[in-house]
């Protein structure tokens, strides 16, 4: 499904973006760099706080788990030593979920929640990138996330289909218009080593395509912000 | 008068250095081919699987069946110095609520439902909604009380999701075939189960509602010395393997007694003797009879591999060290690896390793399958040293080796 | 409000209810037909938990306890002249039946036969709610006793602006012999004593604890296990007591007495003597253990 994104949707945040992808819509707001509470303060680098709020209800353990996944690699992307003793807060609010309206039976509810983790992460990561750019936070490299599935017939599709043999979420870092390194990969289901690497390779290609699209968007937003450039 | 100004070097004990400069401490160790925990690079922690907790398990207690315990499965493992206790307990949940309209023809409804369910199953046997998981609560002892820490929450969720995604606990395993407690001709109380009494009219067991078990896992960790996902998963797996589910019956007599106002108000339920889900007390576990929990595959193990690149800036002159007597006694990894490839470290342990290793690969291989598709989950966390294709391949290889090893042990 | 920090599972889930085990099966073989004299064998190991300052593992029959001591560690903000000392007990949440026995010790007596049906109802075992945050009654009683008993033994003034925290984890408890709360207190206290020694915190003396029972016929049984404490004798004038000692100064630092009917001075004296005998024996055992580990 096509990515649909907007930058600078929130007026009061340092940077923000709204991304909808695979039936999920996320709004991301960045606060900071700002003063840290004594407990969070790190002497040489910034403290990164990722907060995810679900589409319905209050955040639970599931959101904590997703926050951790994002924080893991985001820490290495942001140039932390430019912001010592400060906090950068990444707020992600999931606005819409694919199966929002369909009435779940209690049974499938849970498996759907687990299944949607990858889709939500995918959307959140892309949204976080755009918002970081919008917030003028220094980063070492650009990044974006793609999700692939192997269907039961064995073909690799760029989609987050739920009925699949295996699902692969791939996040690549991009530096100087070249794929730099694998930042995060989550692969679940049943798959072989060969399929894993095929998915990763496909991820490299797709991430360049997605990158050019995201870049276009961010260039546009910079132009709008700094009128004198044009 | 000129005074010479000298900077005196400051020295720290290894433990202090590991805490204040984990990167430096780890790099120095690795440059001479040894890890801070003194294991060699690809040496796993020793794992010991003890039967010790059995005394609280309802079914394995050494004095026959323990009447007071509600523990259905348990495990106790020791991984390095880390001790983990895991206990499995259970609960009921109602899985089928027939439509009110269909109540008149409950049996017919059930038939339709079962047929449609079968069709559904054929279509997508593999769908995640046909599998179940457990609800884990993990507690890592660290001298604090209060709400669970982030780590505890994340591990619980990881265990929960991984178990579901690996599809080893099918829905059917937790479904309950209700028996019936009733009185025979001589007015003796008897309990009959559908699977063991074929001569009895099967319509006796047409209960309008279906129940299944839900399983809870409580995991206690002592002496945490590094990331504990692998060990916690192992403890959970072994506990699940030992889990027995009690046979469950419907107490006819109790249900009549306890037909309270809420169930009286709906005349149908009186007619069919329907269980009132709110009180639930008519659904009773047999004190002795039980059966094993069926798992699709009980030999899945997670293996976490840390990736770290050697940084020449931190290295120690190897000649300084090689003459040291203590050092000679250690097994040293000679670097036979390719330039630019990170070092793979198994079972991350200690402050230095935990804090300095950014990149990790977590693999769950399925070692029992002949199929090509023998991986269940691969999580790659980058950001530290570069995750190369080679290092992923090597990690998968190590994980398979480790899994086979654990399979033999358990 | 549901717990957002734990995975609690579906809200509509009901606890498992087990029917009581038929009598002929539940009382098949009691673990050890203990003679009326002597203390049960117990196993101890110190330093079992690596990321605390001191720890001890104790096993007696089917009861296993891990005690870990944290401290003395600095406390933020307050500047007090001596350390604060606190005890936290955690009974593994699958052992909730423990909480029943304090009350059932009393209730299971006379009417038992007459109201067998009702009693049956009570005996239904249900799983408890997972992830409880509050201390249960048993945990509170245990914590309070141990805190009170050990407070005089620790040189708190040596550790200003710090706290010493003791965590008691009861991993398994003998659900067969149904060892009583008092017995559990005894072994937890002895385990705590060794954990404190292991931690290197300065102590005036090691606390040793004993338990004894005074039966109907005025005989004293030390370390009674429930199997011979038996429900048969319930209803008679039975006195049970736990007492903790600092042997060097020969002072009692903790005492707990339990009885269905009244007690008089003479009985207390007898039962405390019993406790003392056991505490001494435990003390010499612990001394031997500590010497052997040096």
């Amino acid at each position: 499904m096509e990515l649909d994104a907007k930058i600078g949707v929130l007026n009061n945040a340092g940077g923000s973006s709204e991304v909808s992808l695979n039936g999920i819509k996320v709004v991301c707001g960045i606060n900071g760099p700002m003063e840290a509470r004594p407990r969070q303060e790190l002497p040489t680098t910034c403290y990164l706080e990722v907060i995810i709020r679900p589409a319905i209800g209050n955040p639970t353990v599931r959101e904590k788990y997703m926050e951790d996944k994002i924080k893991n690699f985001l820490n290495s992307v942001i140039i932390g030593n430019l912001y010592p003793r400060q906090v950068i807060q990444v707020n992600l609010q999931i606005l819409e979920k694919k199966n929002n309206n369909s009435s779940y039976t209690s049974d499938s509810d849970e498996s759907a929640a687990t299944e949607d983790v990858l889709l939500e992460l995918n959307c959140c990561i892309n949204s976080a990138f755009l918002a970081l750019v919008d917030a003028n936070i220094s980063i070492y490299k650009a990044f974006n996330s793609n999700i692939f599935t192997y269907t039961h017939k064995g073909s690799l599709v760029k989609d987050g289909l739920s009925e699949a043999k295996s699902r692969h979420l791939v996040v690549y870092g991009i530096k100087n218009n070249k794929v730099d390194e694998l930042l995060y990969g989550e692969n679940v289901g049943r798959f072989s080593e060969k399929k894993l690497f095929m998915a990763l390779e496909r991820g490299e290609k797709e991430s360049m395509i997605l990158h050019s699209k995201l870049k276009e968007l961010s260039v546009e937003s910079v132009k709008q912000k700094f009128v004198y450039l044009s | 008068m000129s005074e010479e100004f000298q900077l005196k070097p400051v020295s720290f004990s290894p433990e202090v250095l590991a805490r204040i400069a984990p990167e430096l401490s780890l790099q120095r160790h690795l440059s001479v081919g040894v890890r801070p925990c003194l294991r060699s690079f690809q040496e796993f922690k020793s794992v010991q699987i003890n039967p010790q907790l059995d005394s609280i398990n309802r079914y394995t207690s050494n004095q026959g069946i323990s009447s007071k315990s509600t523990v259905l499965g348990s495990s106790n493992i020791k991984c390095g110095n880390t001790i983990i206790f895991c206990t499995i307990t259970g609960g009921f949940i109602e899985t089928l609520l027939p439509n009110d309209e269909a109540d008149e023809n409950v049996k017919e409804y059930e038939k339709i439902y079962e047929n449609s369910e079968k069709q559904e199953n054929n279509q997508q046997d593999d769908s995640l909604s046909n599998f179940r998981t457990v609800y884990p609560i993990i507690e890592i002892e660290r001298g604090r009380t209060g709400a669970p820490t982030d780590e505890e929450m994340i591990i619980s969720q990881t265990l929960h999701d991984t178990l579901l995604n690996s599809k080893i606990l099918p829905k059917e395993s937790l479904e309950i075939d209700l028996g019936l407690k009733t009185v025979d001709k001589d007015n003796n109380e008897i309990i009959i189960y559908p699977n063991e009494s074929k001569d009895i009219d099967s319509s006796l067991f047409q209960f309008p509602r279906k129940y299944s078990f839900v399983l809870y896992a409580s995991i206690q960790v002592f002496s945490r010395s590094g990331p504990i996902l692998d060990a916690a998963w192992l403890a959970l797996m072994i506990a699940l393997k030992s889990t027995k589910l009690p046979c469950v019956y419907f107490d006819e007599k109790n249900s009549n007694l306890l037909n309270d106002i809420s169930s009286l108000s709906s005349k149908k339920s009186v007619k069919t003797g329907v269980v009132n889900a709110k009180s639930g007390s008519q659904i009773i576990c047999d004190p002795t009879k039980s059966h094993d929990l069926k798992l699709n595959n009980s030999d899945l193990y997670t293996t976490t591999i840390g990736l770290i690149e050697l940084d020449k800036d931190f290295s120690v002159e190897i000649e300084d060290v090689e003459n040291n007597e203590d050092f000679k006694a250690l097994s040293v990894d000679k670097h036979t690896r390719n330039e630019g490839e990170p070092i793979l470290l198994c079972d991350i342990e200690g402050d230095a390793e935990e804090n300095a290793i950014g990149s990790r690969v977590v693999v769950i291989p399925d070692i029992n399958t002949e199929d090509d598709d023998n991986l269940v989950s691969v999580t790659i966390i980058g950001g530290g040293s570069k995750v190369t294709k080679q290092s992923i391949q090597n990690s998968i290889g190590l994980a398979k080796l480790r899994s086979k090893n654990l399979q033999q042990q358990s | 409000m549901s717990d957002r920090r734990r995975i609690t599972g579906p809200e509509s889930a009901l606890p498992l209810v087990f029917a009581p085990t038929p009598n002929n099966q539940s009382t098949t073989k009691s673990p050890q037909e203990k003679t009326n004299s002597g203390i049960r064998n117990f196993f101890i190991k110190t330093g079992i938990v690596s990321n605390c300052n001191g720890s001890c593992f104790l096993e007696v029959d089917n009861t296993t306890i891990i005690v870990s001591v944290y401290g003395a560690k600095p406390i933020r903000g307050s500047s007090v002249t001596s350390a604060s000392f606190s005890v936290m007990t955690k009974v593994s949440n699958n052992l909730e039946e423990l909480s029943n026995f304090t009350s059932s010790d009393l209730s299971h007596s006379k009417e038992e036969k007459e109201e067998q049906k009702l009693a049956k109802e009570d005996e239904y075992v249900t799983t408890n709610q997972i992830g409880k945050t509050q201390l249960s009654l048993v945990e509170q009683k245990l914590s309070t006793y141990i805190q009170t008993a050990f407070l005089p033994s620790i040189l708190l003034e040596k550790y200003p602006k710090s706290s010493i925290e003791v965590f008691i984890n009861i991993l398994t408890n003998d659900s067969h012999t149904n060892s009583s709360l008092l017995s559990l207190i005894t072994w937890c206290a002895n385990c705590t004593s060794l954990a404190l020694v292991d931690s290197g915190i300065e102590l005036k003396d090691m606390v040793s604890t004993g338990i004894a029972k005074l039966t109907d016929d005025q005989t004293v049984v030390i370390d009674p296990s429930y199997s011979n404490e038996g429900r048969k004798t319930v209803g008679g004038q039975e006195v049970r007591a736990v007492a903790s000692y600092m042997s060097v100064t020969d002072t009692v630092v903790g005492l707990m007495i339990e009885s269905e009917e009244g007690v008089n001075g003479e009985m207390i004296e007898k039962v405390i003597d019993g406790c003392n005998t056991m505490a001494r024996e435990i003390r010499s055992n612990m001394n031997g253990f500590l010497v052997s580990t040096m």
Side-chain angles (χ1 to χ4, degrees), chain B residues 115-131:
Chain B
N115 284 340
S116 67
E117 196 183 43
K118 262 175 204 156
Q119 277 167 13
E120 231 172 84
N121 279 353
N122 288 340
Q123 271 172 12
Q124 35 167 307
D125 211 7
D126 217 23
S127 161
L128 215 52
S129 57
N130 285 325
F131 295 91

Side-chain angles (χ1 to χ4, degrees), chain B residues 46-60:
Chain B
S46 67
V47 167
Q48 207 184 322
I49 297 161
N50 306 323
Q52 200 202 7
L53 259 197
D54 283 356
S55 59
I56 58 156
N57 192 328
R58 187 173 177 93
Y59 297 110
T60 58

